[in-house]
C-alpha cells in the first residue's frame, strides 16, 4: 500500500513537472518579448532574463528617438480597434443568421450551401485577394473603413461553428416559440443566441484575434497614414527601426496586449465554451 502511494505520488510529480515545463515553453517567448521591451538597451537579446529595465523603447514609439521618425501610433491603434470590432460583430451577425437558416429552416439548396461552406473553409483565401481588392477599388471603397471592414465581414468558420451548435438544439424549442407567434428573427435572438453564450464567447475571441492580427489585407487596402492599422504601422517599423530591436519588442507588446486583456476578461466563458466543444 505504501509503495503504491509512493508510485502514485511520483507519477503526479512527473506530470506536474512536465506541465510546468510545457507551460514555460509556451509562455516564455511572450515573456521574453515583454521583458525585452522594458530592458535596458545594453541587455536586449544579450540575456534570457534582463536585469536592468527602462521605458526608453516605449518613448521611441512616440517620439522616434534618434531616427526622428514619428508615427501616428494612437490613431493607428484606434483604427485597429474600430476595424476589428466592426468586422467581428458583422462576422458574428452573419454567422448567426446563416447558421440558423442552415440548421433550422427547410429550403431548396440548403444542403448544397452547407457543403459549400464546409468546402470553402479549405479554400486558400489568398487566391481571392486580388479579385477582392479590384472590386473594392472599383466601387470606391479603397482606403476607407468600409474597404477594411466589408471584405472581412463574413466568417465561414463562424457559420460552421454556429450551424453545428444550432443543430444540437432540440426542435421543440423552435416549435414552441412559433406557436407563441415568434418570428424567426425573434427566435434567433431570444432563444438561440442566449442558449449559445459560451460558444459565442469562443467564436468572438477567435474572430477578434484573427481580425486584430490581420496584416496582408490591411496593407493593400489602404494607402494614407490616417487609415493605417497598428499591424501595418508595426510592419513599417522594420525600415527606420530595423537596427533598434527595443522599439520592435515594445510595439509587438502593445499589439498583443488587447488580446490578452480580452482573454482575461472572458476566460471563464471561454473555458465553458471549449468544454462544450470537447464533449
Amino acid at each position: 500500500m505504501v509503495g503504491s502511494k509512493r508510485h502514485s505520488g511520483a507519477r503526479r510529480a512527473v506530470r506536474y513537472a512536465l506541465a510546468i515545463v510545457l507551460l514555460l515553453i509556451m509562455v516564455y517567448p511572450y515573456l521574453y518579448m515583454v521583458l525585452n521591451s522594458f530592458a535596458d538597451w545594453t541587455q536586449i537579446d544579450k540575456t534570457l532574463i534582463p536585469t536592468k529595465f527602462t521605458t526608453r523603447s516605449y518613448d521611441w514609439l512616440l517620439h522616434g528617438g534618434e531616427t526622428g521618425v514619428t508615427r501616428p501610433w494612437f490613431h493607428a491603434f484606434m483604427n485597429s480597434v474600430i476595424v476589428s470590432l466592426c468586422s467581428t460583430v458583422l462576422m458574428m451577425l452573419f454567422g448567426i443568421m446563416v447558421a440558423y437558416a442552415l440548421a433550422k429552416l427547410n429550403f431548396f439548396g440548403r444542403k448544397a450551401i452547407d457543403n459549400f461552406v464546409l468546402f470553402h473553409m479549405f479554400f486558400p483565401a489568398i487566391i481571392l485577394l486580388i479579385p477582392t481588392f479590384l472590386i473594392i477599388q472599383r466601387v470606391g471603397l479603397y482606403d476607407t473603413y468600409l474597404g477594411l471592414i466589408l471584405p472581412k465581414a463574413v466568417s465561414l468558420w463562424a457559420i460552421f461553428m454556429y450551424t453545428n451548435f444550432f443543430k444540437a438544439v432540440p426542435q421543440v424549442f423552435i416549435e414552441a416559440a412559433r406557436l407563441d407567434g415568434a418570428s424567426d428573427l425573434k427566435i434567433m435572438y431570444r432563444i438561440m443566441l442566449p442558449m449559445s453564450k459560451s460558444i459565442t464567447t469562443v467564436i468572438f475571441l477567435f474572430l477578434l484575434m484573427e481580425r486584430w492580427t490581420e496584416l496582408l489585407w490591411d496593407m493593400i487596402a489602404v494607402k494614407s497614414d490616417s487609415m493605417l492599422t497598428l499591424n501595418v504601422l508595426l510592419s513599417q517599423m522594420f525600415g527606420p527601426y530595423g537596427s533598434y530591436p527595443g522599439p520592435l519588442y515594445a510595439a509587438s507588446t502593445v499589439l498583443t496586449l488587447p488580446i490578452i486583456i480580452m482573454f482575461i476578461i472572458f476566460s471563464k466563458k471561454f473555458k465553458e465554451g471549449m468544454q462544450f466543444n470537447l464533449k
Side-chain angles (χ1 to χ4, degrees):
M1 182 68 69
V2 175
S4 177
K5 289 184 177 179
R6 288 179 178 175
H7 286 300
S8 177
R11 286 195 296 268
R12 188 180 297 109
V14 171
R15 286 197 297 267
Y16 281 132
L18 288 175
I20 292 173
V21 171
L22 291 174
L23 180 64
L24 289 175
I25 291 174
M26 291 185 291
V27 172
Y28 181 73
Y30 179 77
L31 182 62
Y32 181 86
M33 177 183 69
V34 175
L35 290 175
N36 277 281
S37 72
F38 287 101
D40 187 271
W41 284 23
T42 59
Q43 292 189 327
I44 294 178
D45 293 332
K46 302 293 178 59
T47 177
L48 293 178
I49 301 179
T51 56
K52 298 179 181 180
F53 299 98
T54 178
T55 58
R56 183 181 178 186
S57 296
Y58 289 92
D59 183 64
W60 269 54
L61 293 183
L62 298 177
H63 304 105
E66 297 169 10
T67 67
V69 179
T70 58
R71 307 296 287 167
W73 288 103
F74 180 76
H75 193 76
F77 178 82
M78 293 307 301
N79 284 344
S80 291
V81 170
I82 293 171
V83 170
S84 298
L85 287 178
C86 291
S87 297
T88 302
V89 170
L90 288 175
M91 282 188 280
M92 296 190 69
L93 287 175
F94 285 127
I96 292 169
M97 291 188 290
V98 175
Y100 175 78
L102 293 176
K104 294 302 180 183
L105 300 181
N106 292 317
F107 57 91
F108 177 77
R110 185 183 69 169
K111 188 66 176 178
I113 296 175
D114 200 4
N115 291 333
F116 173 78
V117 170
L118 184 60
F119 164 76
H120 209 277
M121 288 177 62
F122 299 96
F123 196 77
I126 196 170
I127 295 177
L128 301 177
L129 191 66
I130 294 177
T132 304
F133 170 75
L134 293 176
I135 293 172
I136 290 297
Q137 190 178 44
R138 290 183 180 180
V139 298
L141 296 181
Y142 178 63
D143 201 33
T144 65
Y145 282 119
L146 288 178
L148 288 169
I149 294 170
L150 291 182
K152 300 293 181 179
V154 177
S155 170
L156 297 177
W157 177 78
I159 295 173
F160 176 78
M161 293 292 290
Y162 272 122
T163 300
N164 284 278
F165 180 86
F166 290 163
K167 285 180 179 179
V169 176
Q171 189 67 22
V172 64
F173 291 105
I174 310 299
E175 299 300 332
R178 286 174 178 164
L179 288 175
D180 289 338
S183 63
D184 285 318
L185 188 62
K186 186 173 291 185
I187 292 172
M188 267 192 295
Y189 295 104
R190 294 287 181 88
I191 298 177
M192 306 300 281
L193 191 56
M195 293 179 67
S196 60
K197 282 184 179 180
S198 296
I199 193 174
T200 294
T201 303
V202 174
I203 294 173
F204 172 76
L205 288 176
F206 271 105
L207 292 179
L208 182 64
M209 181 175 63
E210 178 187 1
R211 188 62 189 91
W212 181 265
T213 56
E214 174 67 37
L215 174 62
L216 187 57
W217 177 251
D218 291 356
M219 288 183 69
I220 68 172
V222 298
K223 62 179 179 180
S224 60
D225 288 346
S226 62
M227 292 303 302
L228 292 179
T229 59
L230 198 58
N231 286 317
V232 179
L233 195 59
L234 176 60
S235 70
Q236 293 179 352
M237 286 183 60
F238 286 93
Y241 290 80
S243 302
Y244 303 94
L248 290 176
Y249 284 126
S252 299
T253 301
V254 172
L255 182 64
T256 57
L257 189 60
I259 297 297
I260 301 298
I261 294 174
M262 292 295 292
F263 177 79
I264 292 174
I265 294 174
F266 296 105
S267 60
K268 183 178 179 180
K269 290 292 183 182
F270 180 81
K271 292 176 183 176
E272 292 175 0
M274 293 301 293
Q275 288 171 358
F276 171 84
N277 290 331
L278 293 174
K279 290 182 180 178

